[in-house]
Amino acid sequence: RAWITPATPVVAGALGTWTVTFEVGAYGYDERARLKIAWRFASDWGTPQFTDPKGANYTTVRLETQCPTAVASIAFEPRGQVRPWFKTIAVAVADGSLYPGDRIHITIGDTQAGSPGSRAQTFRERDCEWRVFVDPFGTELYAPLAASPIFDVVGGEFHRLVAIAPTTVRVGEPFDALVKAEDRWGNPCERFTGTVALSGAGLQGLPGEVRFTSGEVAVAR
């Protein structure tokens, strides 16, 4: 099984630290066995790096194991699995094997040595999945876990107001207009509370204001 910490919603484009923990199953994990954490190819999550502890997107791996000699190496593979799961973090076990119940901890955006963290993807997504593929026998034949870590990516803080309406309309015919509060990446805010005043000469049926509440998508039609 695998889980992510913290398992709370992620603000689009924010810097943060996330740890994926994999617990080894009943058959153990052989020497040269591998584990992959995969993102969809469309994700623009910050690319993990492993050499600059003070740089952005610094990523580490740690074993919690009964085997005194086992070590783990980590790498990024831009096409590490079949589409759409191209982008993968790959962990390999060497110099020993893992016991049932041992754990592998992958920390994405490890800040202990000064890194600012990892930059989350810049667009909203419900049930964003980090799919975990396992190869416990070192055969390079991977199976996805039945349940991989899932969380929501939500809109961030207020950056600007946007109004969208037709350029040309016929007199007397109704039309729709859209008002939304956007974060810096163009997502509808979900962290904004405020009142927007509306006015339009010659328009009928236009409300005087729109109220947005934090926790809701800041879009009004």
Side-chain angles (χ1 to χ4, degrees):
R1 64 186 183 128
W3 62 92
I4 189 169
T5 307
T8 53
V10 174
V11 175
L15 290 169
T17 301
W18 298 271
T19 298
V20 175
T21 299
F22 170 72
E23 187 172 88
V24 176
Y27 296 106
Y29 235 67
D30 286 348
E31 187 173 11
R32 300 299 175 187
R34 298 221 294 167
L35 169 79
K36 291 187 177 184
I37 301 169
W39 301 322
R40 288 182 173 87
F41 73 94
S43 175
D44 63 348
W45 207 286
T47 301
Q49 57 92 8
F50 317 102
T51 57
D52 181 7
K54 297 184 182 298
N57 306 307
Y58 183 59
T59 299
T60 58
V61 62
R62 177 175 63 89
L63 294 181
E64 184 182 342
T65 176
Q66 303 173 56
C67 180
T69 59
V71 295
S73 60
I74 190 168
F76 177 71
E77 299 177 349
R79 296 180 69 91
Q81 273 293 323
V82 296
R83 184 173 178 162
W85 305 103
F86 279 170
K87 299 177 179 179
T88 65
I89 296 173
V91 174
V93 176
D95 297 339
S97 57
L98 303 185
Y99 291 76
D102 286 354
R103 293 179 175 180
I104 302 173
H105 304 279
I106 300 99
T107 300
I108 299 164
D110 191 332
T111 59
Q112 292 188 74
S115 169
S118 176
R119 199 213 66 202
Q121 69 183 37
T122 60
F123 56 91
R124 296 172 65 248
E125 183 178 358
R126 297 300 182 194
D127 294 333
C128 176
E129 180 181 0
W130 285 5
R131 183 164 292 189
V132 177
F133 292 89
V134 294
D135 170 28
F137 308 117
T139 60
E140 288 299 314
L141 298 174
Y142 292 87
L145 289 187
S148 290
I150 293 176
F151 52 89
D152 292 336
V153 181
V154 299
E157 302 291 339
F158 174 78
H159 178 64
R160 66 173 183 172
L161 282 173
V162 175
I164 302 172
T167 302
T168 304
V169 294
R170 293 181 181 273
V171 175
E173 289 189 2
F175 63 91
D176 286 346
L178 194 73
V179 177
K180 63 176 178 173
E182 289 185 344
D183 66 13
R184 61 177 298 201
W185 305 102
N187 301 296
C189 289
E190 295 178 66
R191 299 290 187 273
F192 172 61
T193 296
T195 301
V196 180
L198 305 177
S199 63
L203 295 181
Q204 298 178 354
L206 186 71
E209 63 182 28
V210 171
R211 294 181 181 271
F212 294 129
T213 302
S214 181
E216 301 176 357
V217 179
V219 177
R221 184 176 296 277

